[in-house]
Amino acid sequence: DMVLLGGAAITVDPERRVIRDAGIAIQDDRILFVGKAEEASRMYEGKATLHCDDKVLIPGLINAHIHYSHHIDKGLIPDNLGPVVQSNFVHSRVSPYISKEDEIWGTKAMLLEMMKTGTTAFMEAGSFYPEENIQSDIQSFGIKGVMGRRAFDLVNLGHTAKQMETVDDIMKFYDQFLRKFNRKDLRIRPLVAIVGMGRFTDRLAVEAKKMADRPGVLLKMHLANYGDQVRETRGRTGYRPVEHVDKLGILDQNTVLVHMCAVNQKEVDIVAKRGAKVVWCPPATLKVGHSLSEGRYPEMLQAGIPLALGTDGSDLSNYHDMVRVMNLAAVLYKGVRCDPEIMGAEQAIEMATINGAKAMGMEDEIGSIEAGKKADIVIFDASRPEWRPLFNEIQNLVHSATGDSA
């Protein structure tokens, strides 16, 4: 159906090839061939040919952590609130007053912002009207994603009890939600989301994991965001957050843990052993003052944990440009650890593509430019001034560009 000729393709395939003067053939929504332009033009004749000279092609970016419900209050919340105060502000003064219409319009605005900067898939970690969102026209946007409903049955650290539910009511909702929307014909499908952050009883965590053990479903929760949460969990359970959920038996390959800023090496080893996935949100971590100095993201990568990237809610990060997020991920720990060899541009691209696909359980479908995978490809205009001079496509993408050139 289409042949892309020219430009440089950052494939993120198993060999991590960067192919200059690339050729990519596409049939329906699948990639047929990835190689040099000369080979592609010799082997395939497309109904359409797109010449990509002065372009850089990458796999579609994956934003592995967003909240639809928090988009409508972007810019409303002061930027000098710490993690506890900020969270309580949102959940007492904003969230209880968000209507179904508010959230749906916020969803559309957020999706448009993500798509125009190169994001083609996302993981949403719980809003308030997931059924209405899935049934709205966002299915026609073309973006892939999974989403759930924000749920908790315990309050701590001064959080309001507004919107708190019983375990039985939460599980009743999720049973119906999964039965109705866990369908392969939908681009945007359900996951099981509980708030986390210590705002769950043991029973909710265990029952949510049982619900998420249905085929094709994930369990997603916030965990170990900052030191106060760690101390609260230890005081209540006797264990650090990761140790606690591990004792409950809910960590395995379909468990996704978000933030994970305040962890120790023992907890990193537990996550790696269980095969759970982790999502880091650098802009939110910086803005709200999460425990960046305690973060062990370099160690997570070394342990083989598929560390993905996200932006978080619009009232935390205020933007959803994953190219900007890649830049933060590439450079932050060089400064924190005073070590220029830690992480970098290549690891950042992996976190924003193939690791995000692994977190979603979709690494066989998306996350790299390979034959057989979905043709989720983003094309950047490398003729723009911020891309020039262009000696290294990976360095320029992560350290020079923004999603505005996609």
Side-chain angles (χ1 to χ4, degrees), residues 17-183:
R17 291 182 298 165
V18 177
I19 305 172
R20 289 174 171 163
D21 194 24
I24 300 171
I26 298 168
Q27 179 70 41
D28 296 323
D29 63 348
R30 297 279 175 175
I31 299 170
L32 288 178
F33 171 84
V34 182
K36 300 291 283 186
E38 186 275 330
E39 297 175 274
S41 58
R42 184 180 73 247
M43 297 168 60
Y44 297 96
E45 181 177 346
K47 296 176 184 176
T49 298
L50 183 62
H51 293 279
C52 298
D53 298 332
D54 290 326
K55 303 292 191 294
V56 172
L57 294 74
I58 70 167
L61 296 168
I62 298 171
N63 190 335
H65 187 64
I66 60 171
H67 291 281
Y68 287 152
S69 61
H70 294 318
H71 193 75
I72 207 72
D73 56 308
K74 178 194 284 191
L76 176 66
I77 297 167
D79 65 358
N80 59 353
L81 306 182
V84 175
V85 178
Q86 190 275 344
S87 180
N88 292 343
F89 187 108
V90 172
H91 297 107
S92 63
R93 301 192 187 188
V94 180
S95 295
Y97 308 103
I98 293 175
S99 70
K100 174 178 65 177
E101 291 74 19
D102 290 336
E103 184 170 294
I104 290 174
W105 281 109
T107 297
K108 293 178 180 181
M110 177 180 279
L111 291 181
L112 289 172
E113 181 181 343
M114 291 196 297
M115 293 174 70
K116 74 182 289 291
T117 52
T119 292
T120 60
F122 68 87
M123 295 181 70
E124 198 269 350
S127 292
F128 301 107
Y129 301 97
E131 289 196 62
E132 291 83 351
N133 256 312
I134 287 182
Q135 290 173 321
S136 73
D137 60 354
I138 63 172
Q139 293 285 345
S140 66
F141 281 34
I143 195 168
K144 300 175 179 67
V146 289
M147 66 174 300
R149 184 165 70 86
R150 199 170 183 89
F152 64 100
D153 70 333
L154 181 71
V155 293
N156 68 8
L157 297 175
H159 277 92
T160 177
K162 292 178 181 179
Q163 300 174 302
M164 189 173 76
E165 302 169 278
T166 68
V167 175
D168 290 340
D169 285 345
I170 294 169
M171 291 303 102
K172 182 179 179 181
F173 166 81
Y174 268 115
D175 180 61
Q176 177 267 336
F177 185 52
L178 296 179
R179 289 177 185 273
K180 190 172 184 179
F181 296 109
N182 190 23
R183 306 187 342 235

Side-chain angles (χ1 to χ4, degrees), residues 290-317:
H290 283 165
S291 306
L292 185 64
S293 61
E294 298 179 67
R296 292 181 176 266
Y297 302 111
E299 287 77 12
M300 291 181 190
L301 291 175
Q302 292 169 5
I305 296 171
L307 178 62
L309 295 177
T311 53
D312 209 349
S314 302
D315 50 14
L316 270 178
S317 71

Side-chain angles (χ1 to χ4, degrees), residues 25 99 111 146 180 193 203 227 268 278 339 358 371-373 391 397:
S99 70
L111 291 181
V146 289
K180 190 172 184 179
R203 180 173 175 239
V268 171
V278 174
D339 184 352
K358 290 176 180 178
K373 287 196 174 184
F391 297 116
L397 171 64

Side-chain angles (χ1 to χ4, degrees), residues 364-382:
D364 293 335
E365 293 284 302
I366 59 176
S368 60
I369 301 177
E370 296 182 72
K373 287 196 174 184
K374 295 280 189 178
D376 291 3
I377 299 170
V378 178
I379 302 174
F380 287 87
D381 182 1

